[in-house]
Amino acid sequence: MIPDPAVNIWAQTKNSLYPLYKERAEGRLPEMDCHAQAAEIYADYSLPEDRLLDAAGGSGYFFWSLKQRGLLGHYHLLDQTADFVDMGRRALAAELPPERFIVSSMQETPGRYEAVFCLNALFCLPDYRQGLERLLMAAGRLIILRSTFGERNEIRYETDPYLDPGAERLKSYFNIWRVAEVTAFMESYGFAVHTVVDRRTNDQPEISAGKLFPWRWLVGVKS
Ligand SMILES: C[S@@+](CC[C@H](N)C(=O)[O-])C[C@H]1O[C@@H](n2cnc3c(N)ncnc32)[C@H](O)[C@@H]1O
């Protein structure tokens, strides 16, 4: 289920995300607010030998937020965009062995991890269920999600101004998932779920590229 790069919108961001993700993986840009918050949420649950999965983690720059806080565990990056994973593998070669960088879709998440992170990515699935189910099945103790959550499901399949010239015909999902439904879904896999206020937006919708992003956190702890 790894999409052909020709139709993977993320592989059509050579002018926008590629340079940004490279610099982030090299640790040359300031930390993202939400990555700082994810690492701080995790700090309350962390154990030194934890296997960690950064699902749909781009080029793996969340690693630096964990490292800065001494939360190393055994970090693994998974992403469906091979170029991003390669970028991370190269940039973090002095920090992590190459096998920690996995090209895969969330829907086929391999292995088991004590803690799974999925930051800023569930909104781009056509439906959250299959991807989230595989992450919940892979998560031994903890799952930390940041995505667009609201009062009702809203499918938004729209143009994306960040795509490279020539790729504008490819639309992208910017979906909003009903928070009560996703919470019940997570609970059905044995997780006790709580919300955390988003520090960057104070749970107020953020506008980016002309679209509203109601960022929220869901934290699932295996009960
Ligand atoms: C907005 S970026 C978020 C990257 C990073 N997690 C962050 O917080 O900055 C979304 C990422 O999800 C990846 N992605 C999208 N759909 C995916 C899927 N079904 N399985 C795995 N990765 C996916 C894309 O390749 C991209 O790197």
Side-chain angles (χ1 to χ4, degrees):
M1 290 233 288
I2 298 169
D4 182 330
V7 291
N8 175 4
I9 56 138
W10 304 96
Q12 309 297 326
T13 58
K14 305 239 171 15
N15 295 337
S16 53
L17 293 186
Y18 274 56
L20 184 68
Y21 281 19
K22 182 168 183 291
E23 276 195 77
R24 282 190 180 151
E26 290 166 353
R28 294 196 284 126
L29 289 179
E31 180 180 48
M32 290 166 66
D33 297 333
C34 60
H35 282 196
Q37 188 169 7
E40 287 165 26
I41 294 169
Y42 168 62
D44 287 343
Y45 302 92
S46 75
L47 292 174
E49 291 303 316
D50 279 354
R51 281 166 55 87
L52 307 177
L53 181 70
D54 183 10
S59 57
Y61 38 87
F62 178 53
F63 169 81
W64 295 113
S65 298
L66 296 167
K67 180 169 179 174
Q68 267 176 40
R69 293 168 179 80
L71 300 169
L72 275 184
H74 301 280
Y75 174 90
H76 297 72
L77 166 71
L78 175 149
D79 200 281
Q80 71 172 13
T81 305
D83 284 347
F84 293 164
V85 177
D86 274 354
M87 254 178 230
R89 194 182 284 120
R90 285 169 205 269
L92 295 165
E95 304 281 346
L96 296 167
E99 62 273 14
R100 301 278 192 86
F101 296 83
I102 305 161
V103 180
S104 171
S105 70
M106 281 186 256
Q107 292 88 331
E108 295 175 324
T109 302
R112 293 274 293 167
Y113 304 85
E114 277 71 39
V116 170
F117 303 85
C118 184
L119 307 174
N120 312 316
L122 268 192
F123 72 88
C124 60
L125 298 185
D127 186 289
Y128 71 86
R129 291 172 185 81
Q130 193 177 52
L132 181 55
E133 176 191 72
R134 302 300 147 82
L135 298 183
L136 291 164
M137 288 164 69
R141 204 173 70 238
L142 179 69
I143 182 161
I144 297 178
L145 305 176
R146 183 180 193 254
S147 189
T148 44
F149 293 117
E151 296 310 306
R152 59 191 176 87
N153 287 327
E154 200 179 323
I155 302 297
R156 303 189 292 183
Y157 191 53
E158 300 175 3
T159 53
D160 181 343
Y162 291 111
L163 298 192
D164 294 333
E168 303 91 341
R169 70 192 161 78
L170 298 174
K171 291 187 180 169
S172 313
Y173 285 107
F174 299 92
N175 294 333
I176 296 173
W177 305 121
R178 189 160 85 86
V179 67
E181 185 184 303
V182 177
T183 299
F185 187 83
M186 293 169 72
E187 287 169 348
S188 75
Y189 287 83
F191 289 81
V193 180
H194 66 274
T195 57
V196 177
V197 174
D198 185 53
R199 192 190 299 155
R200 176 180 166 81
T201 63
N202 199 24
D203 281 4
Q204 298 303 308
E206 181 174 59
I207 298 180
S208 173
K211 303 176 206 306
L212 277 181
F213 288 84
W215 296 114
R216 303 271 162 73
W217 293 86
L218 289 178
V219 178
V221 182
K222 201 66 175 260
S223 48

